Amino acid sequence: MKKKSWIAYSLAAACVATAVISVCLGDTYISPFQVFQSFAGKGSDTNSMIIEMLRLPRITTALLVGASLAVAGSILQGIVRNPMASPEMLGVTGGASAAAVAFLTFAAGTVSIRWLPVSALAGAGAVSLVLYLFAWKRGVTSMRLILIGVGMSALMSGATTMMIVFNPKNDAGQAYTWLTGSVYAANWENVLLLLPWTIILMPLTMLMTRHVNIAQLGDDIATSSGSRVQLNRFILLMISVALAGSAVSVGGGIGFVGLLAPHMARKLIGANFKWVMPVSAMLGAIIVMLADLIGRTAFLPLDVPAGVFTAAIGAPFFIYLLYARRNES
């Protein structure tokens, strides 16, 4: 217990340190002392404007997006009992992406761009409901859920590509940037959009961790222990979809965070989801903040989307998982 607490506190400190470093670095370097001066209301107007209006909302958005995607991935890996499960694999991210690209293709210019996150969230929700209905046959099994999810993901990917190709405006740049995943130009409005989902769903997830742990034993044992397997699975799936959909609606398709963070958490803390969930959240936040920091500082004056760096790490890791499990039935 002491080791787990020490790891959790260390990650919390690393999360704060990453956020402070991110505030300091950029086109204009601001020292940590000047950052704290600005927080205390004693900094220069220029520094305060850069921190409060440009960097802080972007970093806060990255933190919330990373934590939400990581917890969503933890839930999916728990209820599906498959270490390769993630919002991307089950089509949740694909549904949000398809809806967002449809908005950019058919509604941009006639409807306010502020409705883009709402469109993406609706797409994630719609795909998850279709997924659950297709997977239902006297209940939903983990295997059917993941197999149909892979199919839904491929379908959404094809629909997204087709809309980009046939875009009448012939301008795919904005869509591709969104699909890659970026918190560029994030503002406090984005933070306020994400915050309620995080505040409500994260504690609810912690209350459901017992059911995730029981689900690891299999449906038969979980049912015999008194767990309402189908109801709990549906609730957990909806929580995962809401977390992933809200994150994707603001940050775009930042991939592999929901795959990487839970694996890292289990290596550090063990298989108990009471600890895996919060540790995954902190790891996800650190991953996205670091990816965004590298993207906006390493290639100045270019601002490279954070999703490029998460994919550069996540894709090889996914291939490794496939290789490691190649002999499993």
Side-chain angles (χ1 to χ4, degrees):
M1 184 65 72
K2 288 184 178 179
K3 179 183 177 182
K4 292 179 180 179
S5 299
W6 182 84
I7 291 172
Y9 290 137
S10 298
L11 285 173
C15 198
V16 173
T18 304
V20 172
I21 293 170
S22 297
V23 172
C24 294
L25 300 180
D27 287 336
T28 302
Y29 173 74
I30 302 174
S31 70
F33 178 72
Q34 291 173 316
V35 170
F36 290 124
Q37 273 190 322
S38 296
F39 286 158
K42 299 179 181 179
S44 67
D45 291 340
T46 301
N47 286 347
S48 297
M49 188 274 292
I50 292 173
I51 293 170
E52 295 173 15
M53 301 306 296
L54 299 177
R55 293 184 187 173
L56 203 55
R58 180 168 180 166
I59 293 162
T60 307
T61 300
L63 185 151
L64 294 174
V65 166
S68 297
L69 289 173
V71 172
S74 296
I75 294 172
L76 290 177
Q77 290 178 16
I79 63 175
V80 176
R81 301 197 303 276
N82 189 315
M84 292 184 291
S86 66
E88 296 88 5
M89 176 171 284
L90 292 189
V92 176
T93 300
S97 299
V101 172
F103 179 91
L104 293 171
T105 302
F106 303 112
T110 58
V111 180
S112 173
I113 196 67
R114 292 183 177 181
W115 287 96
L116 175 62
V118 177
S119 173
L121 189 56
V127 165
S128 65
L129 288 175
V130 173
L131 167 65
Y132 204 82
L133 288 173
F134 282 1
W136 182 271
K137 185 180 180 181
R138 294 189 299 274
V140 174
T141 65
S142 301
M143 184 57 67
R144 281 203 301 271
L145 200 61
I146 198 165
L147 287 176
I148 295 174
V150 170
M152 290 295 296
S153 180
L155 180 63
M156 291 299 103
S157 177
T160 301
T161 302
M162 188 174 67
M163 282 187 288
I164 292 175
V165 171
F166 291 102
N167 188 341
K169 297 179 182 178
N170 201 27
D171 179 17
Q174 187 177 12
Y176 277 124
T177 299
W178 196 91
L179 287 172
T180 304
S182 174
V183 291
Y184 174 77
N187 52 44
W188 289 115
E189 188 174 324
N190 299 132
V191 174
L192 293 176
L193 179 67
L194 270 174
L195 200 57
W197 297 94
T198 308
I199 290 175
I200 295 170
L201 295 178
M202 290 289 188
L204 183 59
T205 301
M206 291 303 300
L207 293 175
M208 297 288 291
T209 53
R210 181 175 68 88
H211 299 293
V212 183
N213 283 328
I214 293 174
Q216 302 305 296
L217 303 175
D219 291 358
D220 293 338
I221 296 177
T223 301
S224 65
S225 67
S227 176
R228 301 176 67 180
V229 174
Q230 296 300 332
L231 177 61
N232 291 330
R233 182 174 288 153
F234 179 76
I235 292 172
L236 286 164
L237 178 63
M238 290 301 104
I239 293 173
S240 175
V241 167
L243 285 170
S246 60
V248 173
S249 71
V250 171
I254 300 177
F256 296 103
V257 177
L259 178 71
L260 284 168
H263 276 278
M264 295 169 66
R266 284 194 294 272
K267 288 290 186 183
L268 289 171
I269 215 81
N272 187 340
F273 277 84
K274 179 182 177 181
W275 289 94
V276 169
M277 295 293 186
V279 169
S280 293
M282 289 184 282
L283 286 168
I286 291 170
I287 288 170
V288 177
M289 284 193 293
L290 284 176
D292 180 58
L293 176 62
I294 294 170
R296 66 183 173 84
T297 58
F299 302 96
L300 289 172
L302 297 177
D303 196 318
V304 181
V308 171
F309 300 100
T310 59
I313 300 171
F317 182 71
F318 183 72
I319 293 170
Y320 162 75
L321 284 178
L322 288 174
Y323 178 79
R325 293 169 61 85
R326 67 193 184 283
N327 295 323
E328 296 185 14
S329 57

